[in-house]
């Protein structure tokens, strides 16, 4: 294998698995250390720059960072149920315990004469506004609802996300100088294009829920509701009760929100029925756990066949029972088991079987092309449509995802808009800012706590069941207190503090090999990757994680380190008699709109 090029930022970025997995690339270990130091405001601002909505995401994020967390992997041989650091809930700690941060937000600046329209006030559009307004762009955000937030406000129940948090964090964005026009629904793209906007960003989400066209649907329509529409009605107070017996169809997070909301609005017999297997459901594992915790059963491998009604009054549903069958390529099909159809009585049904994009307001002759699935034709890197000054992001771009993905889209689209309006090629993307800084404070002392915690993941306390289920607006999760947050933060392995090897200083004494608690450092003869992985002291089986390979040493061997299970404890660097190992903090900050120009100007001024 060739020597690892640690000058390439992508290498150490990939080692920080949590940040690598986050669509917005939030520097997770950096803000977790700040929480451990009780620097809550600093931790909040590190989050705010990247993900814009720390308090919202600290309660509702889909947490792509947590399955990637290396803590779960290094615990595999030590505990029955290895679990990642509670990254998402620590984000909430920073939001809940911060001081007043308004003075630390960017200040509005004089306008530069360029006008940008954002359609929809969801997370993607608000991210575009957050990035462009401080640069002097005149950003106007349109939404059909009276308050900003998009599906954050309309589809996430208040027992998961209090409205005060939405008001606070959308307010931070609008205070940067963006104008919000609530109650103004855009119904014609051609008309909007005729108003002379320099750029248009479409972040209107995926507003249409899929329906089920099966027998009885029309006859019993009064008792059958589309999940996302019903959640919106609940959010705005238009719906305040539901029948006693409720069936929720679907296996995603919307279905989990529907069943838990129904439980709070009077449904004493609420069940979720899904056509897939329990493990294949799209809902996040913790969402399923929360539903089960509240006594809501999930019945899988049942395919809806008919709504049963009595002269238009819904009385139940019939289901075909199926099983999963896999072919030799691992592709799944659902086949009937031959068992009699199942029948469940019900008073109301909530259909949460998916969402799809709907753009009836974009005329098909306005120049914006759509593919066969009804999605806009976009450049995957710039989010530019077939009309050069029209961009898409969030669920409106590539279909329903989640909040943090919408934020990532917004950042990238803002870079594209800024480059377009400065007459620069938008396909040239600004590189991130990276650096490596030694953490050495003395001969054997580091500027970070490198004592690895053996604690298991701490549980977030919940409100008492009788109070939580009595009201749709009582927040269920109470969040960590300061002491528990400190202990959970101590579980972080500081994956951004890298073990950096300097081969000219190495005398191959193997002291680092002897002291390494994970057996991840090796001195071996070089070969191809497959050969090296199999000949290490502890075979490196995770092919997704790169090996750290040095150049040739004096004996002709190479140092090979398995990054997959390294604790970043620094014992190798403490033990090394020649200082060949050092602990260096790697920081990656994504370059946002306008920052590339500032960096170039700074370099010129410095020169």
């Amino acid at each position: 294998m060739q020597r690892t090029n640690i000058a390439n930022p992508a290498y150490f970025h990939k080692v920080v698995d949590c940040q690598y997995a986050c669509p917005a690339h939030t520097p997770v270990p950096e803000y977790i250390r700040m929480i451990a130091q009780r620097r809550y405001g600093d931790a909040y601002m590190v989050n705010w720059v990247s993900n814009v909505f720390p308090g919202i995401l600290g309660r509702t994020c889909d947490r792509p960072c947590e399955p990637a967390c290396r803590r779960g992997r290094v615990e595999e041989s030590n505990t029955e149920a290895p679990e990642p650091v509670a990254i998402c809930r620590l984000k909430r700690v920073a939001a809940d315990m911060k001081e007043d941060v308004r003075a630390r937000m960017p200040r509005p600046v004089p306008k530069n004469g360029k006008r940008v329209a954002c359609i929809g006030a969801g997370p993607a559009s608000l991210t575009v506004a957050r990035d462009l307004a401080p640069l002097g762009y005149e950003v106007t955000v349109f939404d059909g609802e009276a308050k900003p937030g998009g599906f954050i406000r309309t589809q996430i129940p208040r027992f998961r996300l209090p409205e005060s948090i939405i008001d606070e964090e959308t307010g931070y964005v609008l205070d940067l100088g963006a104008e919000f026009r609530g109650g103004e629904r855009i119904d014609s793209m051609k008309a909007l294009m005729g108003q002379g906007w320099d750029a248009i960003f479409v972040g209107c989400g995926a507003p249409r829920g899929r329906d089920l066209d099966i027998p009885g649907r029309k006859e019993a329509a009064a008792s059958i509701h589309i999940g996302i529409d019903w959640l919106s009605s609940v959010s705005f107070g238009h719906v305040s009760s539901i029948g006693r017996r409720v069936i929720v169809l679907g296996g995603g997070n919307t279905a989990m929100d529907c069943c838990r909301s129904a439980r709070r609005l009077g449904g004493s017999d609420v069940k979720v029925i899904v056509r897939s297997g329990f493990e294949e459901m799209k809902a996040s594992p913790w969402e399923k756990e929360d539903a089960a915790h509240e006594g809501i059963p999930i019945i899988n491998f049942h395919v809806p066949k008919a709504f049963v009604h009595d002269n238009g009054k819904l009385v139940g549903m019939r289901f075909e029972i199926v099983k999963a069958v896999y072919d030799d390529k691992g592709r799944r099909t659902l086949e009937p088991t031959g068992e009699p159809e199942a029948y469940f009585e019900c008073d109301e049904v909530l259909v949460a079987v998916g969402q799809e994009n709907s753009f009836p307001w974009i005329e098909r002759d306005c120049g914006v092309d759509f593919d066969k699935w009804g999605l806009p034709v976009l450049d995957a890197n710039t989010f530019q449509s077939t009309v050069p000054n029209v961009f898409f992001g969030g669920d409106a771009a590539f279909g329903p995802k989640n909040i943090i993905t919408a934020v990532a889209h917004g950042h990238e689209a803002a870079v594209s808009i800024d480059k377009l309006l400065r007459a620069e090629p938008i396909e040239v993307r600004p590189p991130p800012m990276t650096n490596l800084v030694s953490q050495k404070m003395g001969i054997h002392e580091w500027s970070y706590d490198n004592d690895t915690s053996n604690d298991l993941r701490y549980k977030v306390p919940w409100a008492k069941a009788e109070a939580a289920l009595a009201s749709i607006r009582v927040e269920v999760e109470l969040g960590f207190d300061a002491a528990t947050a400190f202990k959970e933060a101590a579980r972080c392995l500081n994956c951004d503090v890298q073990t950096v090897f300097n081969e000219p200083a190495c005398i191959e004494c193997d002291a680092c090999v002897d002291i390494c608690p994970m057996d991840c450092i090796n001195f071996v003869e070089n070969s191809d990757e497959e050969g090296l992985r199999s000949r290490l002291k502890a075979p490196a089986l995770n092919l997704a994680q790169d090996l750290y390979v040095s150049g040739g040493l004096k004996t002709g061997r190479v140092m090979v380190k398995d990054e997959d299970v390294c604790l970043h404890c620094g014992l190798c660097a403490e033990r090394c008699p020649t200082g060949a190992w050092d602990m260096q903090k790697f920081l990656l900050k994504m370059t946002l709109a306008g920052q590339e120009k500032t960096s170039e100007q700074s370099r010129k001024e410095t020169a």
Side-chain angles (χ1 to χ4, degrees), residues 419 422 424 428-434 589 591 594-607:
K419 281 179 160 288
R422 290 196 282 119
E424 295 181 2
V428 180
R429 311 307 287 177
M433 186 284 288
T434 60
K589 291 175 65 177
T591 303
Q595 292 182 353
E596 183 184 29
K597 176 180 63 176
T598 303
S599 300
E600 290 174 358
Q601 290 175 343
S602 298
R603 284 194 293 268
K604 290 177 181 178
E605 291 171 3
T606 302

Side-chain angles (χ1 to χ4, degrees), residues 522 524-528 530-539:
N522 304 261
V524 294
E525 290 189 10
N526 205 347
S527 70
D528 61 19
E530 183 179 358
L532 275 185
R533 285 184 178 274
S534 64
R535 290 191 293 104
L536 303 182
K537 192 174 182 181

Side-chain angles (χ1 to χ4, degrees), residues 87-117:
I87 299 169
C88 181
R89 290 337 185 219
L90 287 173
K91 191 190 310 291
R92 172 179 172 174
V93 168
D96 288 355
M97 298 187 183
K98 70 183 184 306
E99 68 275 15
D100 187 346
V101 296
R102 284 174 293 183
R104 302 177 66 172
M105 297 290 173
R107 299 291 92 193
V109 299
K111 302 303 180 186
N112 61 16
K114 301 292 185 180
R115 300 166 63 241
V116 179

Side-chain angles (χ1 to χ4, degrees), residues 33-66:
R33 277 192 298 273
M34 292 175 176
I35 290 171
Q37 297 164 10
R38 301 198 176 192
R39 295 166 54 193
Y40 304 120
D42 291 342
Y44 184 86
M45 293 307 298
V46 166
N47 270 282
W48 185 82
V49 169
S50 294
N51 60 48
V52 187
F53 308 105
I56 293 169
L57 286 163
R59 291 165 166 83
T60 64
C61 189
D62 278 7
R63 315 180 199 177
C65 53
E66 292 192 12

Side-chain angles (χ1 to χ4, degrees), residues 191-406:
L192 189 69
M193 289 176 169
Q195 295 175 10
W197 298 96
D198 295 290
I200 296 171
F201 177 80
V202 180
C204 59
R208 185 167 64 190
R210 293 196 178 103
D211 206 344
L212 274 181
D213 185 16
I214 58 176
R217 175 65 179 91
K218 293 181 180 178
E219 293 83 350
S223 301
I224 303 168
H225 317 285
I226 302 300
I228 62 171
D229 298 336
W230 183 81
L231 286 172
S232 295
S233 296
V234 171
S235 177
F236 292 118
H238 304 317
V239 170
S240 57
S241 63
I242 198 168
R244 184 179 67 83
R245 300 170 303 178
V246 181
I247 290 175
V248 178
L249 302 176
N253 288 340
T254 299
M256 300 301 101
D257 286 340
C258 283
C259 70
R260 297 178 69 196
S261 297
R263 186 80 173 77
R264 288 160 169 77
L265 294 181
S268 56
D269 178 11
V270 180
K271 56 178 66 72
V272 177
I273 304 181
V274 60
R275 61 186 295 141
S276 67
F278 181 84
E279 296 299 329
E280 297 168 317
M281 291 171 59
K282 292 183 178 180
S284 304
W286 50 90
E287 299 279 8
K288 294 186 284 187
E289 291 172 8
D290 291 348
H293 179 79
E294 295 179 355
I296 300 170
I298 297 176
I299 302 168
N300 61 348
F301 289 128
H302 280 56
V303 176
K305 299 303 291 184
F307 297 101
V308 181
H309 62 94
D310 182 6
N311 291 322
K313 180 182 179 182
L314 183 69
V315 296
M317 284 194 71
R318 289 190 290 108
F319 296 85
E320 181 180 49
I321 302 174
V322 298
K323 62 182 178 180
V325 178
Y326 297 88
D327 63 17
D328 54 1
K329 295 183 178 179
R331 292 175 297 198
R332 187 202 70 169
T333 57
L334 297 176
E335 296 184 0
T337 63
E339 300 173 68
E341 285 188 343
Y343 176 75
F344 297 95
E345 296 180 341
C346 63
D347 301 309
E348 297 192 55
V349 173
L350 304 176
V351 181
V353 294
Q355 295 170 234
E356 55 193 9
N357 293 74
S358 177
F359 301 103
W361 58 279
I362 301 181
E363 298 88 350
R364 292 309 186 258
D365 61 349
C366 72
V368 177
D369 290 346
F370 291 84
D371 62 21
K372 61 182 179 180
W373 297 282
L375 293 170
V377 176
L378 304 175
D379 183 290
N381 295 317
T382 66
F383 297 90
Q384 186 180 44
S385 74
T386 49
V387 176
N389 71 333
V390 176
F391 300 82
F392 286 71
D395 292 355
F398 303 113
K401 292 291 184 183
N402 49 47
I403 300 172
I404 191 61
T405 299

Side-chain angles (χ1 to χ4, degrees), residues 336-580:
T337 63
E339 300 173 68
E341 285 188 343
Y343 176 75
F344 297 95
E345 296 180 341
C346 63
D347 301 309
E348 297 192 55
V349 173
L350 304 176
V351 181
V353 294
Q355 295 170 234
E356 55 193 9
N357 293 74
S358 177
F359 301 103
W361 58 279
I362 301 181
E363 298 88 350
R364 292 309 186 258
D365 61 349
C366 72
V368 177
D369 290 346
F370 291 84
D371 62 21
K372 61 182 179 180
W373 297 282
L375 293 170
V377 176
L378 304 175
D379 183 290
N381 295 317
T382 66
F383 297 90
Q384 186 180 44
S385 74
T386 49
V387 176
N389 71 333
V390 176
F391 300 82
F392 286 71
D395 292 355
F398 303 113
K401 292 291 184 183
N402 49 47
I403 300 172
I404 191 61
T405 299
V407 169
H409 289 183
H411 284 315
E412 292 298 326
V415 169
S416 298
I417 292 170
D418 181 49
K419 281 179 160 288
L420 176 75
L421 300 187
R422 290 196 282 119
E424 295 181 2
I426 70 170
E427 66 276 4
V428 180
R429 311 307 287 177
M433 186 284 288
T434 60
N435 64 6
L436 274 169
V437 178
S438 177
Q439 301 302 289
K440 185 167 285 189
M441 301 288 287
I443 297 177
H444 299 310
E445 185 178 0
W446 310 109
S447 65
Y448 73 105
D449 182 4
N450 68 331
D451 183 17
T452 304
S453 167
N454 291 320
D455 292 357
L456 300 179
R457 179 171 167 136
Y458 289 87
K459 302 298 182 184
V460 178
W462 277 39
K464 292 184 178 179
E466 57 269 25
L469 294 176
S471 171
I472 195 80
R473 295 188 175 274
V474 171
E475 188 171 13
V476 175
E477 288 193 7
L478 303 180
F480 288 134
D481 59 21
T484 309
F486 173 81
K487 290 184 286 188
E488 182 62 33
R491 296 182 67 242
C492 177
L493 297 178
N494 297 293
C495 295
D496 60 337
V497 182
Q498 308 296 341
T499 51
V500 178
F501 183 70
N502 178 27
E503 57 257 39
C506 178
I507 58 174
E508 301 181 63
C509 64
D510 282 3
C512 54
V513 176
D514 295 338
I515 202 169
C516 177
M518 301 303 290
D519 292 331
C520 64
I521 299 175
N522 304 261
F523 289 86
V524 294
E525 290 189 10
N526 205 347
S527 70
D528 61 19
E529 182 173 357
E530 183 179 358
L532 275 185
R533 285 184 178 274
S534 64
R535 290 191 293 104
L536 303 182
K537 192 174 182 181
L541 304 178
N542 182 6
L543 301 182
Q545 192 90 63
D546 293 342
L547 296 175
Y548 184 4
V549 182
S550 76
L553 300 169
K554 295 178 179 66
T555 62
R557 300 185 300 172
V558 292
M559 185 286 301
V560 182
K561 175 171 170 282
D562 180 9
E563 299 281 18
D564 189 45
V565 293
C566 175
L567 297 178
H568 296 243
C569 60
L571 289 177
C572 54
E574 291 181 6
R575 182 68 180 83
C576 180
T578 65

Side-chain angles (χ1 to χ4, degrees), residues 115-133 137-144 148 173-174 178-182 184-186 189 192 195 197-205 361 389-393 396 409-411 413-414 417:
R115 300 166 63 241
V116 179
C118 293
I119 315 306
S125 287
L126 291 177
T127 300
V128 171
R130 170 251 179 276
D131 287 357
L132 295 183
Y137 291 99
E138 185 180 330
V139 182
T140 304
V141 182
F142 297 89
D143 198 276
V173 175
L174 299 181
E179 179 187 2
F180 173 64
R181 293 190 189 176
E184 290 192 32
R185 188 178 301 278
I186 302 300
M189 174 62 88
L192 189 69
Q195 295 175 10
W197 298 96
D198 295 290
I200 296 171
F201 177 80
V202 180
C204 59
W361 58 279
N389 71 333
V390 176
F391 300 82
F392 286 71
H409 289 183
H411 284 315
I417 292 170

